[in-house]
Structure formats: structure tokens, C-alpha cells
Amino acid sequence: MFNEVYDVIVVGAGHAGSEAAAAAANMGSKTLLITMSLQNIAQMSCNPAMGGIAKGQIVREIDALGGYSGIVSDTSAIQFKMLNKSKGPAMWSPRVQSDRMRFAEDWRLLLEQTPNLDFYQEMVSGLIVENGTVVGVKTSLGIEVKGRSVVLTNGTFLNGLIHIGDKNFGGGRAGERAATGITEQLVGLGFESGRMKTGTPPRVDGRSLDYSKMVEQPGDVNPEKFSYLDITKPLEKQRSCHMTYTSALVHDLLREGFDRSPMFNGRIKSLGPRYCPSIEDKINRFADKDRHQLFVEPEGWDTCEMYVNGFSTSLPEDVQFKAMRSIVGFENVKFFRPGYAIEYDYFPPTQLRHTLETKLIEGLYFAGQINGTTGYEEAASQGLMAGINAALKVQEKDPFILRRDEAYIGVLVDDLITKGTEEPYRMFTSRAEYRTLLRQDNADFRLTAKGYELGLASEKRLRRMEEKRAQSEKFVQFFKDTSITAEEANPVLEAKDSATVSQQGKMFKLFARPNIGIEDVRQFEAVENYIQEHDLDREVIEQTEIQVKYSGYIEKEKNNADKLNRLENIKIPTNFDYSKLQSMSLEAREKLNKIQPVTISQASRISGVSPSDVSVLLVYMGR
């Protein structure tokens, strides 16, 4: 294998690396996945769960494009929840609790069944670069492997440093060594690097907990699933999580160790994720709160290991243990391992193109936490995009870039490249200006055809999506065409405290009312007959309801997106020199010269570029 020249070499086998390797190999590129531990492929380093607010939408998008994260999330799930169901469908977010060991095993087996994919266990200590182009990698044993492109997905391993109280030691995660050499070489090649941190809670023995004192958190009564494929099935049985709380006493006990906390005594200077703070950070920032929620999450079907979500910490282990024993239900808790914080190197993502290829080195791609993001889902989506674009580059095909109105993945990549990040970037629905269009239920409508064109999504998947769309469109038309009498409609309307009607009207108008749902209109004989005659499944029925109820909002957002996309069509010449535009602000010129946006639309989203600066650009481009 060392004599071969690979099309794509992927360094690191976390969520980003696994998706990158699968994508490149499935697109026909000869791919090598190099990792320091083949036993830890797609390891869930932190919480045993996939999805959540905005993250669930990303997993659906990965699946629609032909990635593996949705499939593995389904096959290894122990609980399913659709979050935010009380809000509009733009906010609905699927989430699964996962069996940690099964998740990694299922990922590895899927990768092993993927054609064109080789594996090798070793630490990559450097890149082979010739004339500004990457041509391979070098391992710690001095082995050189040649490749036409390289995708770096090093996660938290680049010069990783683990902190527990006043102790610290090198490591990429608990029990695994850090990766060295790559950061220093990249900085020597002209890259800018930085440090970030993240934390993880203690893992505890579930047999030592008293669940009767906690609040049970079961899964959905009628669970759904992530993948649009019918090879996975919804869960028939589920494991519950449990909820408990910290207290004023717990907070006081934790404060006793603050002087030994690396975050408070200044040993950790890097920034952690603002939206997933450590327990000591929460106590410090929200001093007015005398308690915080904790979720006790099972690590799998059969293991007794529990993940204490909400108790991320780097305090000394004795402080962690003492405080945790004062939590309700944790009075006799036993540790499997203490929580810890980890510092690692990252590279500000403004150094990348929208393909995730670096601007400095041709053929070199970055994906995942190396770009300053946090979260499995964010990493996996970047890995997918980097793997796709590395394969396309080698095949001398046009790059694949998703717009902000096409996918949360498009929002994520665009945010990173145009805005950069100084703290670990996490996706939220609020980051997407077109979230009514980017729902979890329609990711297949948005992306499956694109995945099929890339060679990732199968024809069967494409045909299934097209049939689902045709069925839902016909069902929507049924409501527009079918009338209902006042006599038949009013009993249903009265039962829902909705204004009655005095004459016959179209069902669409009644169904569009906020307080009238699909179960209400199914009381009309014509509707139920239609569903039975056409054998409509849950996905089609749900899609129809959303299209009826939110048609006005969806249309308005489409129009807004179309207006802004006109700016996406105005290209900026490669290596354009903004310094000559003296009527533009100095800050804008500096930012634009550094980031080198491809279109006017991208330029408008860069921090420091004002609407007047965009006007100057438009005038210069003859618009």
C-alpha cells in the first residue's frame, strides 16, 4: 500500500474523518483513512447522543446527501426524541440517545464494507508539500504515503493537553496520546493557528444511583428515525434518561476547588464553547441561580456506565466527587472516570475556501474541530463536504458548495469561511436566516438529487424521495380542490374552539388554521378515505400538513432567498486586489483581501464589510 498513490488521504477517523473517507471512496476515489487507533473509529468522545437543536437538521442533511451518520444513529439508537414539537416545524429537531460502543462498531463495519477504502493505524506527523501543493503525508515511523489530496480531521488531538484540577498531561482524549508535528509544520508554511478548549463530565456507575429520586425522561411514544432510507426502522423499545438538579450546597462545594481549577487560576487561557459551559463556569456566570439541570444519560443498552450531561468540569477529582455526592440521587455515586478539560490547536477557518480546501496549500482540506467547531454533527458535515470536494478536485470536476438557503451545512461552512470563529462554533437554528426552508422534514427534497448527481445517493433513494414529494403535492392539491359543507365542518371546529363557518368552503382554508391539525381533518370522511386509498405514510402526511399550514411563510422566505441569490451570481475575480478601492473602508479592504470571497453575496457577510462597502464593489463590478 505504501507504493500506491491515493486520490484522497484522510487523517483522523472521528466523525469528520469517517464521513470524509466514506464520501471520497463512494465517489470512486481510491482513499486511505489513517488513524492512531482503529479501535476508536467514530468514537463518541463526549455525550452518547446525535442530533438536537439544529444538529438534528444537519444529520438529516448528511443522510439526504448519502452520508452515513443518519444510518448509524438509527442502528445504534436507544432512545428517540423530536425536540421543540410545541413550536413550528422549522424548530423541530430530531435527537437520539446512542449506544456508544455500538455506534463506533456500526461505523467501522460500514466503512469496512465501503469499496475503494483502505485503513492504516499510525500517527501522521507531517505533510509532504511540493511547490505549494500537498502530495502526501509522513507518519511518526517515517513512512511516506503519496496522495493527490489530503483531508485533515485531527479533532482535539493536535498538541492536545488534558486538565484535571492542578494536573495536566498530553492527550487527544482520555486514554489516548496527542498528535504532534502537524501544527508546527503548518505554521511554518504560513498558517495562523490558535488554541481552544472543551470539557467533558464525569462518567459514573449507574448501579450506584437512586433513580427513584430523579425525574424520568422517556423517549417519544411514537419514535421516528433519522435516515430517509427504509433499511433502518424506528425503535420498538427505548431506554429512559433521568433528570436531577444541582443545589446551593453542591455549588458551595464546587467553589471550594475554584482556586485549583485551571480555568480560574489562568492555566487555561483558550476559549471554550459558550453554549455548553462547564459547571464551574455556570456557577460563576449565573450566580443568581441556586440550581442547574443535570441529565443522566445511559451509555448503551446493556452497560451501567452513565454520562452526567450538564456537569462538564475540569475541577480536581476529589472536588468533583465530593460535590457530586451531594446531588439528589447521587448520594452513593461511584466514578468510572472524572471529568476533564482539553486544550488543542485549531486553525482559523477564514484560511479556507468554501470547498474547505486551504488557500495556502492546494489539495489540502481541513474538517471538524481543526476549523474551530464543536459537536459531532458539525464535524461530520464538514467531513462530508471536504471528502466530496477532495474527490471532485482529483476527478477534475466542479466543486460542490451548498448555499445558505439550501442547507444548514451551507450556513455552517459560509459562517466559518466569511466570519471565522474565536470560540468553538456550534450550530443553532437562529444562525440560519432561511430556517423555514431548512427544516428537518424536507432535507431529502432539498439535497437527495444533489447527492445522486455526486454518486453518493442511490437511484433507489432518489426515486423514493420523488415519490414522497409527488404524493405530498397531490395531497396538498386535494385540500385545495375539495370542498366541505358547514354541517360537516362545524362539529370539528367547535371541538377545537375555532370559529364556525356558515357556508361550504375549501378544506385547505380550514386546515390552514393554527389550531386545526391533521388528526382533526382526518375526521372528515373524504380525507380519511384519501389517506387509505393512496396508502399514505407518516412522512407524506406530515409533509402535507406543513405545506398547507406554512405555505405563506415558505413562499415569502423563498422570495427573500431568490433576491439575495442574485448577489451570489455576481462573481469576484480570483485574487482581486481590494486595496485599489479607496472609497471602501480600510477595515473592509483588509478583511476582503484576507478572505478573498468568491461572490458579492459572500463579501456582504464578512464582519466589518458594511452595505456601503458592498455598494462600492457593485459599482466597480459594473452593477
Side-chain angles (χ1 to χ4, degrees):
M1 65 185 282
F2 302 127
N3 297 324
E4 295 185 60
V5 178
Y6 285 93
D7 294 320
V8 181
I9 297 173
V10 179
V11 180
H15 299 261
S18 296
E19 285 288 5
N26 281 323
M27 289 171 67
S29 292
K30 186 152 189 60
T31 306
L32 175 65
L33 179 60
I34 305 183
T35 174
M36 291 199 292
S37 173
L38 287 170
Q39 276 64 51
N40 293 324
I41 285 177
Q43 175 86 337
M44 291 180 134
S45 306
C46 202
N47 62 319
M50 287 292 283
I53 309 300
K55 294 167 175 279
Q57 283 87 328
I58 289 175
V59 177
R60 282 267 164 95
E61 291 175 353
I62 292 170
D63 183 74
L65 284 166
Y68 287 169
S69 287
I71 295 169
V72 176
S73 295
D74 286 343
T75 59
S76 61
I78 64 174
Q79 186 194 89
F80 182 95
K81 272 191 173 182
M82 186 65 77
L83 306 180
N84 281 344
K85 231 2 197 183
S86 61
K87 300 179 180 178
M91 303 297 287
W92 298 353
S93 302
R95 183 184 190 270
V96 294
Q97 204 65 38
S98 303
D99 185 309
R100 185 190 297 275
M101 290 182 284
R102 189 172 293 180
F103 185 92
E105 179 186 31
D106 288 356
W107 248 113
R108 175 163 175 169
L109 294 177
L110 263 179
L111 288 172
E112 287 183 2
Q113 293 161 23
T114 302
N116 306 313
L117 182 56
D118 290 345
F119 302 85
Y120 188 58
Q121 180 171 295
E122 242 267 67
M123 185 176 85
V124 171
S125 56
L127 305 168
I128 307 170
V129 179
E130 295 176 1
N131 301 318
T133 301
V134 70
V135 295
V137 299
K138 188 183 292 184
T139 74
S140 57
L141 291 177
I143 297 167
E144 293 190 353
V145 186
K146 294 298 178 70
R148 296 182 178 90
S149 65
V150 173
V151 182
L152 291 185
T153 68
N154 303 79
T156 59
F157 282 76
L158 289 179
N159 293 322
L161 187 64
I162 291 173
H163 295 267
I164 303 176
D166 40 22
K167 308 178 186 76
N168 65 73
F169 48 91
R173 60 181 163 225
E176 296 179 64
R177 61 181 174 150
T180 56
I182 292 177
T183 297
E184 293 74 15
Q185 182 188 12
L186 289 173
V187 170
L189 288 167
F191 284 89
E192 176 191 347
S193 73
R195 294 283 277 178
M196 281 189 177
K197 77 172 176 77
T198 189
T200 190
R203 310 305 199 272
V204 303
D205 189 336
R207 297 170 298 181
S208 65
L209 304 180
D210 186 349
Y211 298 105
S212 68
K213 296 180 178 179
M214 305 181 200
V215 180
E216 186 177 6
Q217 302 277 296
D220 288 350
V221 176
N222 296 306
E224 299 177 34
K225 62 192 188 78
F226 266 116
S227 181
Y228 290 101
L229 289 175
D230 52 13
I231 59 171
T232 64
K233 304 295 179 189
L235 288 168
E236 293 182 0
K237 64 171 184 172
Q238 303 184 65
R239 277 202 75 175
S240 287
C241 298
H242 288 81
M243 183 176 69
T244 184
Y245 294 89
T246 60
S247 64
L249 171 60
V250 173
H251 296 181
D252 288 342
L253 292 170
L254 289 168
R255 284 191 187 94
E256 290 177 11
F258 277 13
D259 61 329
R260 295 163 64 199
S261 166
M263 185 178 72
F264 285 98
N265 63 23
R267 243 194 12 256
I268 293 181
K269 294 184 170 63
S270 46
L271 286 171
R274 184 191 315 184
Y275 305 102
C276 189
S278 65
I279 187 68
E280 53 263 43
D281 199 18
K282 281 193 276 192
I283 292 169
N284 194 48
R285 280 166 53 190
F286 307 108
D288 57 317
K289 294 189 181 295
D290 58 7
R291 69 174 192 169
H292 295 284
Q293 287 180 332
L294 299 175
F295 295 94
V296 183
E297 302 177 347
E299 298 256 333
W301 282 115
D302 304 310
T303 181
C304 63
E305 186 174 356
M306 295 286 162
Y307 177 91
V308 189
N309 196 337
F311 204 90
S312 176
T313 182
S314 58
L315 286 165
E317 64 274 22
D318 58 319
V319 175
Q320 294 183 35
F321 184 69
K322 186 178 178 183
M324 196 163 264
R325 283 219 155 178
S326 297
I327 296 169
V328 173
F330 280 69
E331 293 83 0
N332 299 304
V333 70
K334 294 180 180 178
F335 271 22
F336 271 16
R337 69 168 193 242
Y340 63 87
I342 181 166
E343 280 189 290
Y344 55 93
D345 293 336
Y346 85 104
F347 291 83
T350 50
Q351 300 171 99
L352 304 176
R353 306 183 194 283
H354 275 73
T355 57
L356 299 183
E357 183 182 21
T358 66
K359 295 171 183 173
L360 280 175
I361 304 295
E362 190 171 355
L364 178 62
Y365 297 77
F366 291 172
Q369 284 178 281
I370 192 172
N371 289 336
T373 62
T374 180
Y376 306 145
E377 304 81 3
E378 289 88 342
S381 66
Q382 291 171 72
L384 179 72
M385 298 300 285
I388 288 171
N389 280 303
L392 289 172
K393 188 178 182 73
V394 170
Q395 294 164 11
E396 298 182 352
K397 295 179 180 176
D398 290 338
F400 179 66
I401 297 168
L402 290 167
R403 298 194 313 267
R404 295 180 72 91
D405 63 321
E406 290 179 316
Y408 271 93
I409 298 173
V411 175
L412 168 70
V413 173
D414 187 65
D415 275 356
L416 292 175
I417 275 66
T418 59
K419 299 174 183 175
T421 184
E422 294 178 354
E423 60 180 315
Y425 178 101
R426 178 179 175 182
M427 179 52 73
F428 290 101
T429 50
S430 58
R431 295 193 190 272
E433 57 270 55
Y434 305 117
R435 54 187 174 273
T436 307
L437 301 180
L438 309 182
R439 306 183 310 276
Q440 56 82 31
D441 61 88
N442 71 347
D444 54 344
F445 291 177
R446 292 184 277 120
L447 300 173
T448 297
K450 296 179 185 293
Y452 176 72
E453 289 170 13
L454 290 165
L456 288 177
S458 66
E459 185 174 355
K460 181 183 177 185
R461 181 192 279 265
L462 180 68
R463 299 290 168 251
R464 189 172 187 271
M465 180 277 291
E466 289 173 339
E467 183 183 356
K468 173 184 164 185
R469 180 157 57 192
Q471 285 183 323
S472 60
E473 286 174 355
K474 286 177 183 175
F475 198 19
V476 170
Q477 196 61 45
F478 162 82
F479 283 103
K480 289 180 177 178
D481 295 341
T482 307
S483 298
I484 188 165
T485 64
E487 290 75 22
E488 191 179 359
N490 284 338
V492 172
L493 297 175
E494 287 169 357
K496 297 301 295 251
D497 291 328
S498 191
T500 56
V501 293
S502 58
Q503 60 187 23
Q504 182 172 296
K506 299 297 184 188
M507 279 193 189
F508 187 92
K509 195 172 180 181
L510 289 183
F511 195 9
R513 293 188 183 190
N515 57 341
I516 302 297
I518 186 65
E519 294 307 317
D520 300 311
V521 296
R522 287 186 78 160
Q523 295 178 50
F524 304 142
E525 188 177 350
V527 175
E528 189 60 30
N529 286 344
Y530 186 97
I531 291 171
Q532 299 302 326
E533 286 170 16
H534 294 83
D535 194 24
L536 301 185
D537 63 18
R538 181 199 54 78
E539 286 185 26
V540 172
I541 294 170
E542 181 182 90
Q543 189 59 226
T544 302
E545 182 171 17
I546 291 168
Q547 292 297 328
V548 170
K549 288 193 166 305
Y550 297 91
S551 57
Y553 298 103
I554 292 168
E555 198 58 41
K556 185 178 179 181
E557 223 164 69
K558 277 182 182 173
N559 291 336
N560 289 339
D562 289 342
K563 287 176 187 174
L564 283 174
N565 282 335
R566 291 170 201 158
L567 293 180
E568 289 287 359
N569 296 325
I570 307 175
K571 304 291 185 185
I572 300 173
T574 306
N575 298 322
F576 182 80
D577 183 10
Y578 296 91
S579 306
K580 59 189 178 186
L581 302 183
Q582 294 300 314
S583 49
M584 184 180 282
S585 71
L586 179 62
E587 182 185 9
R589 279 178 275 160
E590 288 177 351
K591 292 277 183 72
L592 290 164
N593 272 324
K594 179 181 179 181
I595 294 171
Q596 286 291 318
V598 178
T599 68
I600 296 286
S601 182
Q602 288 170 16
S604 71
R605 293 191 291 272
I606 295 172
S607 174
V609 177
S610 69
S612 61
D613 295 322
V614 174
S615 297
V616 172
L617 258 181
L618 284 168
V619 169
Y620 190 86
M621 298 296 166
R623 301 299 177 108

